[in-house]
Amino acid sequence: MSISLPTPLRTYQYRPLTVFSLLDTDTDRVLPQLFEMCVKGGRSSRSRTDANDFAGYRNAMLDGGFVRGFSTDRDLALLDGWLRSCVVDMGRSGRGKTGEQMLAVAPLTLAAYRAGLPTKRDRHRGIDDVVYGLLLAELERRGADVSGAASARAQLRELVTRTVGRGLTIGPEPRWEPRLTDPERLDIGALLEFRFVEGFAMADARELDPSSGDSSLPGVAADLGAMLLAHLRAYGDRLPVPSLMSSFAALLALGVFAFSLRADAAARELLRTGERPADMVPGPAPASPVELYCDFTGDLGSESDRMSRRCVERDLDRVRLAFRDRMAFVVIEQALPRIPGEAERRAGLSRADQLVHLASLRGHPRVETYAMGRIDDIVAEAAASGEATEPELEFLQRVQAGADSELDKLLDILEQVNQARAVKNAVNWFWSVGGLEKPYGILRGSARSRRSWRYAPTDEQLTALLLGVFVEPDGVTTRTTMPLREVLDVLRHRFGILVDRPPAFLDGAEARAAATANLDAFTLRLQLLGCFDSLSDDFSVQVVRHPLGDF
């Protein structure tokens, strides 16, 4: 595509709505730098790591004298295999992908942030900044002071250091260097990781641009922060650190995944109807409007499997349509300076109110004039540059002469030019936060075949979900048992997960029968996890036990 767009319209992101940058990411790799921010009060250190020098850092670890017995080439090969399988995530580097580099270290201990990997924080797509802000906001909602020893920042630092940083103390600022004080509290993998990252140089912490706690979906974002904080407070002293990290990553990934789907749905409803969606209303989050039918039968080709695949297909189609909605907000926002008083009015509004405000201006004459001007500029530039092909010029002229609104015509052009790249990146975001290649994903299938994708939570994801569901409203204590009906209702309300009923768009006798069989498979999975005994055929009295048992 050789059509050139004006600079403000070359984007395919709109973070006031999506909050996160919709590009591929890795939730595991977010954790070390998220917890670094928790320790350093919202600050972070610029990475001084040479990601290409794995051998150098390994040798520095051996020179430290704490890791011994690896002197021969065969010994070093064994150590390298141990590090690569347990501690370091390696990948290719260079244009020809012939080199090798360290991409990240596993979140086995709080000391992982010392490695400074990934070296570029933008790989987290804003997840670390946003979640840190949500954790602080939840502590403030629960009564933390504005400053001092009882401030939200101080409480979060103490919580993370005590739970994730077992066996460690944190040195003074500005570096906040992790120090080993009780090796017996670290398992062998975490201890190896500590000795490995011990040789990485640390820089002084620096202030980051603060991330606003305001969100396009205020209740949904607040629920995500509350769930993650409660997980640390309820299980921080009960789970081994690697298990705590893994279950935290599972809840984080699913929470971000569900948030993205709900943001797309809210934007679509707002622009189509002009009415504020329930998810954009201040206050507690309503029941999830998305329906993620999850298959637990494992029977490929069954009706239950088909429904889960159809839900993924529906959501991928919505990912494609969401690009146009995001660009509608971008164009209207660009036109604001041309509408007297509207930019000033918008400045004092919350994030959700700003989106409602922009949607209300969709048909404003000044927005239409702005869109018309941009179309004229694009057509004139394409004709004068000599780079546009004849079919591209014909497309532009046909759109320009069309009968649709000027805004819709401009959106048609933006879709033609940018949609393929935008959708590719949004799909990468979809499968990466959906955990397609993670042991805790809600998505299963082959990355090379979208037709194989289905919603089918792994045992690790299901366990993490149950851990979250069993936490009491106080965010600290947990229940020992819950009625099965209540567990299913919470999963549906909070995440949109359907187990015992088909999604509305697939409802029918055959689908309901498949959902009934799926419920049986779900309870069997709970039995295998040690969380369920079917003592009665009466659905209303069946009980799910806490995954950690009676503690």
Side-chain angles (χ1 to χ4, degrees):
M1 180 62 64
S2 53
I3 298 173
S4 177
L5 298 176
T7 301
L9 302 180
R10 292 176 186 172
T11 183
Y12 45 85
Q13 303 282 354
Y14 189 64
R15 284 189 62 176
L17 168 66
T18 62
V19 177
F20 311 104
S21 296
L22 303 186
L23 298 157
D24 67 297
T25 189
D26 188 314
T27 317
D28 285 336
R29 298 177 188 179
V30 172
L31 298 192
Q33 288 179 316
L34 168 60
F35 290 132
E36 177 188 20
M37 294 179 69
C38 295
V39 169
K40 298 180 179 180
R43 295 181 286 269
S44 182
S45 299
R46 191 182 303 277
S47 178
R48 298 173 61 183
T49 299
D50 181 357
N52 298 308
D53 191 22
F54 167 79
Y57 291 110
R58 179 205 61 201
N59 293 338
M61 176 182 71
L62 293 173
D63 292 341
F66 293 102
V67 179
R68 297 185 292 271
F70 299 93
S71 54
T72 68
D73 290 343
R74 185 175 180 179
D75 294 337
L76 289 178
L78 176 63
L79 179 59
D80 282 359
W82 188 11
L83 287 169
R84 291 166 185 265
S85 63
C86 179
V87 174
V88 190
D89 187 8
M90 304 295 294
R92 294 295 177 184
S93 64
R95 288 189 176 181
K97 300 297 181 182
T98 56
E100 188 179 46
Q101 64 177 333
M102 296 181 290
L103 301 176
V105 294
L108 303 177
T109 170
L110 183 59
Y113 73 69
R114 177 171 188 148
L117 294 170
T119 55
K120 295 182 179 179
R121 293 183 68 249
D122 59 5
R123 293 290 305 172
H124 303 324
R125 315 309 186 195
I127 296 176
D128 50 345
D129 295 328
V130 172
V131 171
Y132 175 73
L134 294 177
L135 293 173
L136 289 182
E138 177 62 16
L139 283 168
E140 290 168 356
R141 189 184 71 81
R142 291 184 175 276
D145 293 344
V146 176
S147 60
S151 68
R153 288 189 177 193
Q155 289 187 32
L156 188 56
R157 178 184 298 120
E158 188 279 331
L159 175 64
V160 168
T161 303
R162 174 171 53 83
T163 58
V164 183
R166 292 177 220 169
L168 307 176
T169 57
I170 304 299
E173 53 181 308
R175 295 195 177 178
W176 309 87
E177 181 179 7
R179 298 170 180 171
L180 184 62
T181 55
D182 188 356
E184 293 184 358
R185 300 196 66 190
L186 279 69
D187 67 22
I188 188 64
L191 188 58
L192 177 66
E193 178 171 275
F194 179 87
R195 292 306 181 190
F196 181 68
V197 302
E198 198 173 22
F200 290 63
M202 295 186 68
D204 292 349
R206 58 191 174 88
E207 292 286 348
L208 300 175
D209 294 333
S211 176
S212 170
D214 195 12
S215 171
S216 54
L217 312 181
V220 181
D223 271 6
L224 175 59
M227 176 179 66
L228 295 176
L229 181 68
H231 192 71
L232 291 177
R233 297 175 74 181
Y235 302 112
D237 297 322
R238 301 175 183 176
L239 289 172
V241 172
S243 298
L244 179 67
M245 293 277 211
S246 178
S247 53
F248 186 94
L251 292 174
L252 172 60
L254 182 58
V256 170
F257 182 79
F259 182 97
S260 294
L261 295 179
R262 294 177 75 160
D264 287 346
R268 185 169 55 254
E269 180 182 347
L270 176 60
L271 290 171
R272 303 297 182 274
T273 68
E275 300 294 329
R276 182 191 294 265
D279 272 348
M280 288 188 177
V281 176
S288 174
V290 302
E291 294 183 323
L292 309 180
Y293 178 83
C294 294
D295 175 51
F296 289 90
T297 68
D299 184 6
L300 299 182
S302 67
E303 180 64 16
S304 181
D305 175 68
R306 186 187 71 86
M307 287 195 293
S308 69
R309 292 173 191 265
R310 287 288 303 279
C311 284
V312 173
E313 291 171 2
R314 173 206 60 199
D315 292 336
L316 287 173
D317 190 52
R318 289 176 176 176
V319 165
R320 179 183 62 81
L321 296 174
F323 169 70
R324 186 182 183 97
D325 296 335
R326 292 197 299 273
M327 293 311 301
F329 286 114
V330 169
V331 173
I332 299 170
E333 185 177 279
Q334 291 295 321
L336 271 188
R338 298 169 179 255
I339 308 175
E342 293 295 348
E344 292 76 11
R345 177 187 167 199
R346 177 176 179 271
L349 300 176
S350 68
R351 184 76 60 84
D353 288 341
Q354 288 177 357
L355 293 169
V356 174
H357 174 233
L358 290 176
S360 72
L361 299 173
R362 181 185 176 102
H364 195 284
R366 296 292 180 90
V367 173
E368 287 289 283
T369 302
Y370 172 81
M372 181 187 297
R374 299 293 73 74
I375 293 171
D376 292 344
D377 292 343
I378 293 169
V379 174
E381 171 67 20
S385 68
E387 297 179 358
T389 64
E390 190 65 28
E392 290 172 345
L393 287 173
E394 290 177 359
F395 163 76
L396 291 175
Q397 292 163 359
R398 184 171 64 253
V399 171
Q400 188 179 33
D404 292 337
S405 72
E406 299 299 323
L407 175 58
D408 282 327
K409 290 193 288 188
L410 179 56
L411 293 176
D412 288 342
I413 294 173
L414 297 179
E415 277 190 309
Q416 181 74 9
V417 176
N418 270 348
Q419 188 181 45
R421 183 181 179 190
V423 171
K424 177 183 177 182
N425 284 289
V427 170
N428 287 342
W429 164 265
F430 179 88
W431 69 255
S432 60
V433 294
L436 187 67
E437 297 181 336
K438 294 292 183 182
Y440 51 71
I442 191 173
L443 273 177
R444 295 291 91 190
S446 168
R448 297 182 178 182
S449 173
R450 293 182 193 175
R451 294 182 62 184
S452 71
W453 296 1
R454 61 197 184 278
Y455 291 126
T458 62
D459 286 350
E460 193 168 326
Q461 177 65 271
L462 179 56
T463 301
L465 282 170
L466 293 175
L467 291 174
V469 165
F470 273 81
V471 177
E472 296 277 21
D474 64 6
V476 178
T477 59
T478 58
R479 300 167 68 173
T480 56
T481 62
M482 285 181 68
L484 176 60
R485 176 74 269 163
E486 187 175 348
V487 170
L488 295 173
D489 288 344
V490 173
L491 292 177
R492 179 174 57 83
H493 186 281
R494 187 180 296 180
F495 302 106
I497 291 176
L498 301 181
V499 177
D500 63 326
R501 67 186 70 179
F505 79 107
L506 295 175
D507 197 11
E510 186 178 1
R512 293 180 186 180
T516 299
N518 192 49
L519 176 61
D520 292 338
F522 176 75
T523 56
L524 177 59
R525 181 87 70 87
L526 294 179
Q527 282 182 305
L528 294 175
L529 293 174
C531 301
F532 182 79
D533 286 323
S534 183
L535 301 178
S536 171
D537 292 332
D538 184 355
F539 180 76
S540 64
V541 298
Q542 292 178 334
V543 172
V544 181
R545 296 197 303 273
H546 195 287
L548 301 184
D550 298 329
F551 49 84

